Amino acid sequence: MVESADQKQRRAWWRSTLISSILASLTQLALFTVVLVCPDSSMPSLLPLSAVALLVVIASGRCCKRRLRVRASAPAFVFFSIIFIWGVYIGVVRQVISLLMDIAVNSELLMLFIGLCCIMSVDPGHIKNDSSHLNELLESQALASEGPSEESVPSSWDMPYELAAQEISVPLQRIRYCRQCKAYVKGFDHHCPAFGNCIGQKNHVLFITLLFGFVVTEASYIACSSQFTTKTQTLDKTGEQASLSRNLAVSTMLFSLLQMLWQVVFLAWHIYCICFNIRTDEWIHWNRYPEFHLNVQPEPGQTSSATETRFINPYDKGIFLNVKEFLTAKG
Ligand SMILES: [Zn+2]
């Protein structure tokens, strides 16, 4: 029997989901093993060990995927990790938490699930991938009344825009090409593998809110699991059950702590980019986009005669206006 394209796609989806669930389980198992091997170690010494264990699992996972020629789904990995943390919270940590905190943590986790489903399915600002539509956008751009004022326009603004096969740069619309999605995206920031979608003009605010939600939820879980370990230590419970519960609480706390640390850095970088009105893709690849180029001619008497290209941001209107533009941007 010949398998249809739809069936093939469904089978590939199930396979990548299964691989992600295995990887998520291995990650948690690796952290649990670290806590099991070093039961009396303090948090500052467990943290770097856990980071190393995570890196080993990630590297081994990549190696195995390459050898077996299989793919994993990063969003599925995120989902399974949240389910695991939620499971440990309900089964272990929750028993020492106050009702108010319990409601708060469960609500935060539920909101994360809803937010994840939204960002994975929402349109980031895809535009039709045909030249006529792009030409329409270019024409409407030329007529746009809210274009940059003459004094804010750098000398490089007049540079012709190249509709190259891979990159399209239109001022204000900031339409870029996403290689993963094979689509043009308005206000393209980056392609997020963890959420399996582009981050563009239509979902950028949701992305930042979700990132903030992750940090808050992880901080809440760390506070709860820390409370659990402190209380179980005070009660001086013994036995396998108590030891297993405590190790689970500590290993998931380490996972949340590591996640939170890099997400705080990531969030800070995004906030910086928003404040200066530059997308993260533009921040990394500004060389690709002509509007960020300021060509400086060599001064008389200089030994080098080559024109120097410096970075300039034509979109930067000051922090207040930049943040306002980000919050009010519509697709
Ligand atoms: Zn994409």
Side-chain angles (χ1 to χ4, degrees):
M1 203 174 85
V2 181
E3 205 176 22
S4 70
D6 195 38
Q7 279 174 319
K8 268 187 189 171
Q9 210 174 3
R10 208 174 302 154
R11 201 155 63 92
W13 186 86
W14 278 110
R15 198 167 44 203
S16 62
T17 306
L18 177 70
I19 291 161
S20 298
S21 71
I22 294 167
L23 282 174
S25 309
L26 285 175
T27 304
Q28 298 300 334
L29 185 68
L31 295 180
F32 186 79
T33 310
V34 168
V35 180
L36 205 67
V37 171
C38 319
D40 300 318
S41 300
S42 61
M43 230 0 142
S45 48
L46 280 174
L47 205 61
L49 284 173
S50 305
V52 171
L54 271 186
L55 288 175
V56 168
V57 172
I58 292 167
S60 315
R62 278 191 181 174
C63 196
C64 289
K65 280 189 289 176
R66 208 169 297 154
R67 288 212 164 182
L68 298 169
R69 290 181 181 178
V70 288
R71 282 178 162 225
S73 159
F77 181 88
V78 175
F79 267 108
F80 283 121
S81 299
I82 297 175
I83 289 169
F84 188 85
I85 298 289
W86 206 344
V88 174
Y89 174 76
I90 290 170
V92 179
V93 178
R94 194 183 180 212
Q95 50 189 292
V96 300
I97 305 301
S98 68
L99 180 67
L100 201 68
M101 190 65 181
D102 184 39
I103 293 168
V105 174
N106 279 307
S107 308
E108 285 167 11
L109 284 159
L110 186 67
M111 292 299 283
L112 272 194
F113 261 103
I114 296 168
L116 268 174
C117 292
C118 283
I119 204 149
M120 283 168 70
S121 55
V122 81
D123 170 24
H126 284 143
I127 60 161
K128 287 176 206 166
N129 188 7
D130 61 68
S131 56
S132 62
H133 188 73
L134 284 168
N135 285 339
E136 272 174 39
L137 281 161
L138 282 164
E139 279 165 26
S140 67
Q141 186 57 54
L143 295 167
S145 57
E146 59 194 279
S149 60
E150 268 186 36
E151 55 269 27
S152 71
V153 179
S155 57
S156 62
W157 193 269
D158 295 322
M159 199 176 277
Y161 298 104
E162 293 173 8
L163 267 82
Q166 294 295 305
E167 302 294 342
I168 287 192
S169 170
V170 182
L172 298 176
Q173 297 272 12
R174 298 163 100 164
I175 295 159
R176 318 285 187 205
Y177 185 76
C178 175
R179 287 176 176 84
Q180 276 81 14
C181 301
K182 293 179 176 60
Y184 292 99
V185 183
K186 204 187 284 182
F188 180 72
D189 186 81
H190 69 288
H191 181 87
C192 181
F195 299 155
N197 200 357
C198 279
I199 305 303
Q201 196 158 305
K202 285 185 177 177
N203 63 352
H204 204 171
V205 174
L206 176 64
F207 172 77
I208 298 294
T209 312
L210 195 56
L211 205 54
F212 187 73
F214 265 97
V215 172
V216 170
T217 311
E218 279 150 3
S220 303
Y221 183 78
I222 292 162
C224 291
S225 48
S226 168
Q227 200 179 329
F228 177 83
T229 49
T230 312
K231 282 201 179 172
T232 47
Q233 254 175 355
T234 317
L235 292 170
D236 197 25
K237 279 188 180 177
T238 51
E240 269 184 39
Q241 180 101 28
S243 170
L244 178 76
S245 302
R246 196 179 171 279
N247 288 349
L248 261 177
V250 176
S251 66
T252 47
M253 180 168 38
L254 284 165
F255 178 77
S256 303
L257 200 56
L258 287 169
Q259 287 282 319
M260 196 182 80
L261 286 174
W262 86 260
Q263 278 166 358
V264 164
V265 175
F266 198 55
L267 184 63
W269 178 39
H270 274 271
I271 290 170
Y272 167 85
C273 288
I274 290 162
C275 288
F276 292 96
N277 204 349
I278 185 161
R279 307 283 184 261
T280 52
D281 174 68
E282 295 166 347
W283 193 81
I284 299 166
H285 304 296
W286 68 271
N287 271 320
R288 287 182 188 170
Y289 308 118
E291 69 262 39
F292 293 100
H293 296 179
L294 177 66
N295 294 325
V296 181
Q297 298 295 332
E299 288 193 18
Q302 272 190 329
T303 47
S304 170
S305 60
T307 307
E308 192 190 345
T309 304
R310 287 186 194 164
F311 171 83
I312 189 162
N313 185 3
Y315 304 109
D316 189 3
K317 304 177 190 80
I319 292 173
F320 178 75
L321 286 176
N322 292 340
V323 174
K324 193 180 164 193
E325 189 183 299
F326 167 73
L327 294 172
T328 55
K330 287 187 180 76

